[in-house]
Amino acid sequence: MMFPPAVEARFPDFADHTDSLVGHGVEFFLASNGTLRPHLNETPYSHKLTWLDFTDTAEKDWSIRDFLNFFNVINGIAFGDRGIPMPQWVMVDLILMPAAALIAGLPQEEFAAMVERSTFRFDTDVKRLLRKVQQDMRNSGYRGPVPVGGYCAAPSAEPGRWVGWSLWSLMPAVGLGKAAKALALSAYRAQKLDGVTQYDNSALKVHTEFGALKILVATVPFHTSPGSFVYQSDLTLPAGGELPEPTFLLDPFDYSRQRAMQKDIEAGRCEFYVLPPGHVRRDGKTYVPILEKELPR
């Protein structure tokens, strides 16, 4: 008997609005290579993903190579000033060879309309940069879909445990990020998910929809982005249950408090969890709701 992937068992309705996104022109792709295809779930949440093999050189209506290149370019634009664009070799060595990328794409006409009507609040240069992408597509003669979001994770040494490292969307407020992550975690058949993000990152709103995030490492000064931390989502936990009240609200830029949390973790005194919805507003400022659990001595 084949059991459903852990994310589908715990969150059975998380991709319910995928059909709505498809109705608005979004197509979901799974990009990897043929040797891994038997190990990936191509029908997450009963939605058939469009398979892309990055090694395929057969003639098609549009270039897979160009599509993946635009994914890389637009991914860098979406992350804006966080300073973490993806080098091409990283995409090959850390996504397409050992795992897969879940990519949402729009036809070029819908992409152009989206660019014109969107405000892209996260970066004032985004619209200008995306118009340049459009010009590059016209110059190259590329006729295929345009990436507008995606999710990437890599397998770890522990079976069933994955490390997520790129969630992005150019279509806010329509649930694209949540759908991309849910579809990808099902495609990977992930049971646990580790990741690194920042306390001020708006993606916390999506990540905490998959349950409270256990903070494994409260501060990662080696990371290029300040305020980074390591979290884990356990997708094997039972669904439901009433959420506890946060113990305290963390200022995303209170690095002293974050270092103190890390000392408590290292000493085995406490565990910390980021609670849904990831960010809350108080007195005009954004805070992260934190649950602190004291550990028995």
Side-chain angles (χ1 to χ4, degrees), residues 22-49:
V22 171
H24 286 86
V26 176
E27 184 174 1
F28 291 98
F29 300 85
L30 190 64
S32 183
N33 69 88
T35 63
L36 296 185
R37 192 170 187 178
H39 306 283
L40 295 164
N41 175 22
E42 291 184 58
T43 55
Y45 285 92
S46 301
H47 179 79
K48 184 71 174 76
L49 303 176

Side-chain angles (χ1 to χ4, degrees), residues 117-145:
R117 69 174 177 262
S118 296
T119 57
F120 300 117
R121 292 167 295 173
F122 49 88
D123 190 329
T124 56
D125 288 333
V126 165
K127 186 167 288 194
R128 174 181 61 82
L129 293 170
L130 292 179
R131 285 174 175 155
K132 182 181 182 304
V133 170
Q134 290 177 282
Q135 186 60 53
D136 291 342
M137 288 189 292
R138 287 190 289 268
N139 292 343
S140 67
Y142 175 73
R143 300 186 302 274

